[in-house]
């Protein structure tokens, strides 16, 4: 579900999605998925967004809807324990989001390892 209150508050402040992403230290696609309701927004992110937009959290907050996965009457036992064969209807946007997040974490891990090496030397 698109976050209309957030979108309107962002536009009222004259910020682009790119600027919001930069303020929140995330890439624009991550911010876009949050604003478009394709990715949940954490409590701390709501707080940071409200601070950036200079509004109370209540002015922009919209609750995320729960997403359920239809297993199409299939069980793990029927598919030899292969979870991926039972989850064949996961939206591509969720898969892409998870892949992007994994890539982000891997990049961050490399950066943190480099920083740690500098402190160890």
């Amino acid at each position: 579900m698109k976050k209309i209150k957030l979108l309107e508050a962002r536009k009222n402040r004259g910020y682009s999605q790119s600027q919001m992403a930069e303020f929140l230290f995330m890439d624009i696609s991550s911010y876009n998925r949050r604003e478009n309701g394709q990715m949940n927004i954490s409590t701390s992110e709501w707080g940071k967004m409200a601070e950036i937009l200079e509004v109370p959290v209540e002015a922009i907050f919209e609750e995320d809807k729960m997403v359920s996965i239809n297993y199409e009457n299939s069980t793990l036992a029927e598919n030899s324990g292969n979870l991926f064969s039972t989850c064949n209807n996961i939206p591509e946007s969720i898969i892409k989001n998870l892949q992007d997040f994994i890539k982000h974490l891997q990049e961050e891990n490399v950066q943190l390892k480099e920083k740690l090496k500098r402190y160890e030397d």
Side-chain angles (χ1 to χ4, degrees):
M1 180 174 96
K2 195 169 201 151
K3 307 295 186 221
I4 302 300
K5 292 179 183 179
L6 175 60
L7 183 144
E8 289 175 357
R10 174 180 60 78
K11 287 184 176 182
N12 287 340
R13 290 286 299 157
Y15 293 143
S16 67
Q17 286 189 343
S18 179
Q19 288 172 306
M20 287 296 290
E22 188 176 319
F23 296 147
L24 294 163
F25 303 102
M26 63 177 66
D27 59 70
I28 189 168
S29 63
S30 293
Y31 178 81
N32 179 277
R33 282 192 297 277
R34 284 168 173 81
E35 190 174 281
N36 285 313
Q38 297 169 335
M39 184 175 185
N40 289 346
I41 300 173
S42 71
T43 303
S44 64
E45 288 171 336
W46 280 116
K48 289 175 190 173
M49 289 177 190
E51 187 177 321
I52 291 164
L53 297 170
E54 298 180 0
V55 297
V57 173
E58 300 78 33
I60 60 172
F61 178 78
E62 293 179 69
E63 196 166 323
D64 292 308
K65 302 271 186 198
M66 294 297 292
V67 176
S68 61
I69 298 172
N70 178 5
Y71 289 97
E72 300 182 72
N73 299 322
S74 180
T75 66
L76 291 176
E78 292 171 336
N79 291 297
S80 304
N82 185 350
L83 176 61
F84 296 106
S85 65
T86 63
C87 297
N88 59 1
N89 62 343
I90 297 174
E92 282 294 317
S93 61
I94 292 175
I95 293 171
K96 173 77 170 113
N97 180 33
L98 291 172
Q99 289 171 334
D100 288 348
F101 187 64
I102 290 168
K103 182 179 177 187
H104 168 76
L105 290 175
Q106 289 170 333
E107 291 169 356
E108 187 176 49
N109 194 21
V110 168
Q111 292 171 356
L112 291 171
K113 284 181 180 179
E114 289 173 2
K115 284 183 181 180
L116 184 60
K117 278 186 180 180
R118 281 187 248 141
Y119 287 110
E120 290 176 344
D121 292 340

